[in-house]
Every structure is written in structure tokens, then in C-alpha cells.
Amino acid sequence: MGSLAAYTNSAFLWICALAAFAVIALQTVIYMRAARTAGPDLGFTPQDWKRSLRSGAIAAIGPSLAVAVVAVALLALFGTPAVLVRIGLVGSAATETASADLAAGTMGAELGGASWSPEVFATALFAMSLSGGMWLVTTLILTPLLKRGDTRLRRTNPTLMAIVPSAALLGAFASLSISELPNGTVNVLIVAVSALVMAGCLLLARWLGLAWLREWALGISIIIGLVAAYFAHFSAIGPA
Amino acid sequence: MPDDMSRADAAYSAYDRTTSRWGRITMLMVLVIALAAPLYLVFFSGLQLAFGELLTAFLAVAAVFGLIWVIEPLTYYPVLGPAAMYQAFMIGNIANKLVPSAIVAQQAIDAKPGTRRAELAAVMAICGAALVHLVSLLVLVGLLGTWLVSALPDSVVEVARLYIFPAIIGAVVVQLVSYAKQPRITVIALATAAVVQLGLVPVLGEQFGNFATAVVVFGTVALAWVLRDRRAERGTATSVSASADQPPQQ
């Protein structure tokens, strides 16, 4: 593994990882300023601005911790800078591992094993990065096109545009949650636990007037969900 | 009111110009950076890599994800709106991190779905989520990663890897239903999702599974439109635009 680490930890990869993070930070600052400038004229007060930023940040803590734990598991395979670039940018642990596995497979190699050489690593990183880049390319092409259609629809049919965002959101998350159910008894249990904890938090928040609980509810649900998953997975109902 | 309206429109179009232009510029920068890393290994690291092998590896990945490159932006556009598209597809983790954050923030400031106020709340929430995303990765993976590898028991990592998504999604659905306050559309969405995910996916197979969520999104939108509450229709024109949440747009 000694020679592999020389490639996975090369200085250039570190520079790329930090540069990518710097660009995300730059974009975030530009967007924050744009929303602050336009907000007051759109009924979005400075308090709303602050509140949205804070709620979004708090809600992201639970998912971010979980993603970081999974990313740590990939370090041995890809090294720190490649994990930062691939997980920090559009990819998720699942898509990136699958991509790397597919790419290694075309060279008759496997992830991690003796066949995981610097050449296979470089080829896998090439395939993952190009595939990840395609998401950016399609977004760059499709967003302006969709925006044109969207603006036209808003003008001609405001009733439709009042329905579309809620319906699209509810449809997307109904689909994602129901597609979890056939994955096993533990998955069904976890979806249910996580949903019930959230329902409990929201009810408590309403009854007791606790605004902070609504912001932390997602993190609490994820942690209790994962604790339940831990016990369920290593008990009789988990996969052997 | 006409003065207020034009001020709002002017403010929105300035915001739209800034976010679209800089969204695109920053996304192109990240695209170049993300490709520079492997290209450096290919051309300058002294490794002997055959062009044919690189192409084959990419095509193997493209065969699996090619459809998703196109379907995901189409699926999330109606959910995110134009400005947030450039944030979301740069950062990733859209369903498990960014959209849940946006819903929490929209609920926190009580913004009605589909309004400009809700759009700004989503963008700001994603800004907050992006900062947490960067800091958590830099600290936990960049700085402490090597130490955490030895400190975290394998069983914890395995459970997090296997069940992170179900642990998030159950809670997000409940929060979303409570935020949207649309019982009719909620029932339509759940029914459509059940038919597609539990009925069609097992029959039509893996390839169809890749765009099942897109089918559910467009199916739900279409059905929600066809089955909308027409009794409320007569009052809709006023109730939609005069919802006190934003000034009328026309």
C-alpha cells in the first residue's frame, strides 16, 4: 500500500480538494448577499434571512455527521483528498463507491484488494470524476431551459404553479421513502421510528411552543433512528 | 400598490441575475477542479494508463448513471427553483441533506410553498447546510479522519452506511407533510409512490427503478392538478396571489 498512498495523498489532489471547498464557500457567500439585498422587497425580512440560515444549518448537522461517518469508512480506499472531492461535491458515498467498483471491474480489479493498484485507483478516480462532472453539465444545460418554461407557466397558469412545488416535493419524498420499504424489515422499522420521533417532536414543539425543537427535530430523529437500527441490525431481525 | 410590485419585481430580477450568473460561474470552476485531479494523475504522475482503459471504465459508469445525470436535474427543478439548482448539484446530498434543510427553514419562517419568500428561505437554508457540510467534512474527514478510522468501531460505520437514508427519510416525510398542509396532495403522492415503487418497479426491473422517482414526481403533479379541489377554484385567483406571503405578481 505504500506506493498507493503516494498517489492517493499527492499534494495536487489536496490542492484540488481545498480549491473545490473554497469555490463552494464563495458561492455560498454570494448567494447569502444576494438574498440579503433582495429579501426586504420580497417580504423576506432580515430576521427571516437569519432564521432560515440558522434552521438550515441546524437541520444539516444530523445528515452531515452521518455522511462524515460514511466518508471516513472510504478513507482507506481512496485517501483523504479524493474522498473530500468526491463526497464534498455532487457524489454520495453510495454512487461513488458503485462508480469506483464498476470502473475497477473493467480492469479486472476489485476495490481494496491486492489488485487495487495506483493505476486502478487513477482509472477509478477518472471515471468517478467524469461521471460526477456530467451531473454539473446537465444541470448547467437544463436549468436555463427549465427556467424559461417555468416563467412562461407562471404567467399563463398561476393556479398550476401553486400546485406544482408542493406536489413535486411530496411526490419525491413519498417515492424515496416507499422505495426503502422493500429493502428489508430493519429498513421498514427505521423509517417508522424516524417518522414517529419526528411526529413526536413536532407535536411537543406545537404544544409547548418550542421553536428550537422544530429545528433540532431532524437531528434527533436521525440519531434515534440509527440507534434503533444498531440494535435491530445486530438482533434476530437483522440480516445474518 | 403598483410601486411596491415593481420594486419587488426589480429586486427579484436582480437577485435572479446574480444567482444565475454566479451559480453558473462557480459551477464551471468546480467542474474544472474536479476534473483536474484525475487528469493530473493520468498525465503527470508517471503512471502508465491506457486511453482505451480509461474510456472503458468511464463507459461502464456512464451505462449505470447516464440516465440519472439527466433525470435528477429534471426531478429536482420544480422542488428547488433555478438559483438553488446551482447550489444543490454542486454539493450533492440533495435528498438527504439539502431539501430537508430547506423544508425546516420554510416551516420555521412559515413561508407558503411556491412563493418567492419560500424560495429565498430554501436558498438561505441551503447556504447554512453548505457551511455545515464544508466544516463537517474538513474537520471530521480532513483533519480527524485518520484518527476516526481507528476510533470508530466497524459496527457503527456499517450501521451508518446501511441505514443513514431510512433514518433521514421517515422524519423528512413527516416534516414535509406538516409543512405543506396539503392532505389531498399528500394522499395522491403516497398512492402514486406506492403504485410505482411497489407495483411497477418489481415488474419492470432495475432500469425502470432508476427513474421511478421522476415518474412519481410528474405523476403526482399531473394527478394533483387533475384532482384539485375545484370548489375552491373560484376563489383561487385571489387566494393564490394575495396570500399575504408575497405581493401579487401580475
Side-chain angles (χ1 to χ4, degrees):
Chain A
M1 292 288 274
S3 68
L4 178 64
Y7 294 98
T8 59
N9 266 317
S10 82
F12 190 80
L13 293 195
W14 271 106
I15 293 169
C16 289
L18 296 177
F21 277 38
V23 175
I24 295 179
L26 170 72
Q27 186 199 54
T28 303
V29 171
I30 292 170
Y31 271 51
M32 283 165 66
R33 288 183 51 188
R36 172 142 244 173
T37 312
D41 286 328
L42 299 169
F44 188 75
T45 64
Q47 289 93 305
D48 290 339
W49 184 92
K50 214 167 133 189
R51 191 90 202 273
S52 305
L53 180 69
R54 200 191 58 196
S55 316
I58 293 173
I61 291 175
S64 292
L65 289 181
V67 168
V69 168
V70 179
V72 163
L74 299 177
L75 285 178
L77 216 44
F78 301 118
T80 311
V83 167
L84 287 177
V85 177
R86 298 309 328 145
I87 307 297
L89 297 181
V90 71
S92 68
T95 54
E96 298 308 312
T97 317
S99 304
D101 190 49
L102 286 163
T106 64
M107 298 179 78
E110 281 176 4
L111 290 188
S115 57
W116 185 243
S117 65
E119 286 79 10
V120 177
F121 163 72
T123 307
L125 185 64
F126 174 83
M128 289 152 87
S129 305
L130 207 54
S131 169
M134 288 307 293
W135 261 279
L136 306 186
V137 170
T138 53
T139 303
L140 284 166
I141 294 171
L142 289 172
T143 303
L145 295 178
L146 291 167
K147 195 163 119 186
R148 221 169 296 158
D150 173 33
T151 314
R152 200 167 305 151
L153 260 183
R154 262 174 215 277
R155 215 170 294 140
T156 54
N157 198 337
T159 318
L160 178 64
M161 287 318 291
I163 289 177
V164 170
S166 299
L169 256 181
L170 285 163
F173 282 91
S175 173
L176 292 170
S177 58
I178 288 182
S179 72
E180 269 304 315
L181 304 183
N183 290 348
T185 323
V186 180
N187 298 61
V188 177
L189 179 82
I190 307 316
V191 172
V193 167
S194 157
L196 286 173
V197 173
M198 173 59 85
C201 288
L202 290 181
L203 286 176
L204 271 181
R206 183 181 302 168
W207 288 337
L208 306 175
L210 305 172
W212 63 267
L213 185 57
R214 219 173 285 157
E215 293 172 348
W216 286 94
L218 183 58
I220 296 171
S221 309
I222 292 168
I223 289 168
I224 297 183
L226 285 177
V227 170
Y230 188 88
F231 288 109
H233 183 71
F234 294 106
S235 76
I237 59 168
Chain B
M1 291 283 286
D3 199 37
D4 270 9
M5 272 187 267
S6 55
R7 275 194 66 171
D9 284 341
Y12 186 80
S13 70
Y15 160 82
D16 182 48
R17 254 196 321 277
T18 309
T19 51
S20 298
R21 179 190 302 150
W22 284 98
R24 275 199 288 268
I25 292 174
T26 46
M27 192 168 248
L28 277 170
M29 287 165 80
V30 152
L31 184 59
V32 170
I33 293 166
L35 294 180
L39 289 180
Y40 166 81
L41 288 183
V42 169
F43 291 111
F44 301 106
S45 68
L47 290 172
Q48 298 300 315
L49 300 164
F51 176 75
E53 284 185 339
L54 292 172
L55 187 67
T56 312
F58 170 67
L59 290 178
V61 176
V64 173
F65 292 106
L67 257 180
I68 305 179
W69 300 333
V70 179
I71 288 166
E72 275 201 350
L74 289 175
T75 309
Y76 284 113
Y77 181 87
V79 170
L80 293 163
M85 286 287 282
Y86 297 114
Q87 297 179 288
F89 281 91
M90 214 149 102
I91 300 164
N93 295 292
I94 297 171
N96 64 3
K97 186 175 340 191
L98 303 186
V99 181
S101 288
I103 296 168
V104 171
Q106 289 169 332
Q107 193 175 36
I109 70 158
D110 202 20
K112 286 217 170 56
T115 59
R116 285 171 174 175
R117 203 164 160 256
E119 193 183 327
L120 288 185
V123 163
M124 285 311 299
I126 295 177
C127 286
L131 295 175
V132 170
H133 175 75
L134 294 181
V135 171
S136 67
L137 283 177
L138 278 178
V139 173
L140 295 176
V141 180
L143 288 177
L144 305 177
T146 321
W147 171 76
L148 277 173
V149 170
S150 54
L152 280 176
D154 287 348
S155 55
V156 170
V157 175
E158 191 190 351
V159 165
R161 184 175 62 80
L162 284 174
Y163 301 111
I164 169 178
F165 199 66
I168 292 172
I169 197 78
V172 170
V173 167
V174 170
Q175 181 138 35
L176 176 59
V177 168
S178 122
Y179 161 63
K181 297 195 188 75
Q182 297 270 16
R184 182 186 289 254
I185 302 181
T186 303
V187 172
I188 292 170
L190 288 171
T192 311
V195 168
V196 171
Q197 290 286 4
L198 306 178
L200 297 182
V201 170
V203 180
L204 299 176
E206 191 88 341
Q207 270 301 322
F208 176 74
N210 285 337
F211 52 99
T213 292
V215 170
V216 175
V217 167
F218 290 106
T220 304
V221 168
L223 285 171
W225 169 249
V226 173
L227 302 174
R228 71 190 182 278
D229 189 355
R230 284 161 206 272
R231 275 171 312 164
E233 190 96 315
R234 278 154 232 128
T236 324
T238 41
S239 74
V240 167
S241 52
S243 55
D245 217 15
Q246 74 178 125
Q249 285 176 26
Q250 264 76 41

